Amino acid sequence: MGNRKHSKIDALPSDIKEAVEQMILGNYTYREVCDFIRDTANVTLSQTAVCNYAKGLNATVQDLRLASENMRTLTEEMAKYPQLDTTEGIARLISHKVLQAVRELNDEALKEADPLKLIDRCTALIRAIAYKQENDTKVKNLKNVAFESFKEEIFDAMAKEAPELYHQLVKFISERTEDG
């Protein structure tokens, strides 16, 4: 964050700064914003200073809107496919955005694009997805091994101490395993 520019607007009391930001985002002219700041905070600013602040503010608002839209899209994807976890949803969203960006490139931009950089980025995305799938498989295998170990111990004890319960449980698990 060392490159962030600080404006006199940043130093205003929070209530005045908030009002200024609402004015900038509303239909007020930079002159009206300057007058408001002068009248309420006794600080004189040029219209250019307000304009520069407005550019940064609008960029931030745009970034927030984009992030919000991406989160909404991710949430919708996750609702459609409950078996997806968040990482997979994010990977799908990024993949979609990358493909969309490539489709929208015109011939000139495509010629100017560094193919090695594009390949590196695609490869990194593919690696991340593969790594995620590999970890999911490992976790699933560990869960299965742990369950099998637990099941053996419990079933042995149950078969000896409560055979009727043991037979009911075996039947219940068999039915669930066949359904799943």
Side-chain angles (χ1 to χ4, degrees):
M1 292 228 174
N3 292 339
R4 186 175 183 285
K5 295 177 183 175
H6 292 282
S7 164
K8 287 183 180 180
I9 295 173
D10 288 318
L12 294 174
S14 61
D15 58 331
I16 296 175
K17 180 181 173 189
E18 188 175 325
V20 167
E21 289 177 350
Q22 291 304 313
M23 291 174 75
I24 289 171
L25 296 172
N27 290 325
Y28 290 88
T29 65
Y30 295 149
R31 170 60 26 223
E32 290 171 322
V33 174
C34 289
D35 292 344
F36 173 78
I37 294 170
R38 184 193 65 234
D39 295 345
T40 56
N42 200 26
V43 174
T44 303
L45 287 175
S46 67
Q47 290 182 51
T48 303
V50 173
C51 176
N52 290 335
Y53 185 84
K55 286 178 188 176
L57 178 64
N58 287 329
T60 300
V61 168
Q62 185 61 31
D63 287 346
L64 289 172
R65 285 183 182 144
L66 182 61
S68 179
E69 176 62 23
N70 286 340
M71 186 53 78
R72 186 190 59 74
T73 303
L74 179 60
T75 303
E76 287 174 2
E77 267 310 284
M78 300 299 289
K80 280 191 243 177
Y81 306 100
Q83 73 279 10
L84 286 180
D85 67 8
T86 307
T87 307
E88 228 171 307
I90 291 169
R92 282 185 180 206
L93 178 64
I94 290 171
S95 297
H96 172 73
K97 294 287 186 185
V98 167
L99 291 173
Q100 186 178 11
V102 169
R103 262 195 322 264
E104 292 173 0
L105 286 176
N106 60 30
D107 289 339
E108 188 64 31
L110 200 52
K111 287 178 187 173
E112 291 176 7
D114 180 358
L116 294 178
K117 193 178 270 188
L118 291 173
I119 290 169
D120 283 346
R121 299 241 168 99
C122 289
T123 304
L125 182 59
I126 291 166
R127 264 194 224 119
I129 292 169
Y131 178 76
K132 161 90 174 70
Q133 290 171 342
E134 181 182 333
N135 277 345
D136 287 350
T137 302
K138 286 179 183 177
V139 167
K140 184 177 179 183
N141 289 339
L142 286 173
K143 284 181 182 177
N144 288 339
V145 167
F147 178 71
E148 288 302 318
S149 175
F150 172 76
K151 187 171 78 171
E152 280 182 38
E153 289 180 31
I154 294 297
F155 279 16
D156 288 346
M158 193 181 293
K160 292 175 188 168
E161 298 172 26
E164 192 174 309
L165 181 59
Y166 169 77
H167 291 295
Q168 288 176 342
L169 184 59
V170 168
K171 182 180 175 190
F172 178 81
I173 291 173
S174 295
E175 289 171 356
R176 293 297 176 261
T177 305
E178 290 170 6
D179 291 344

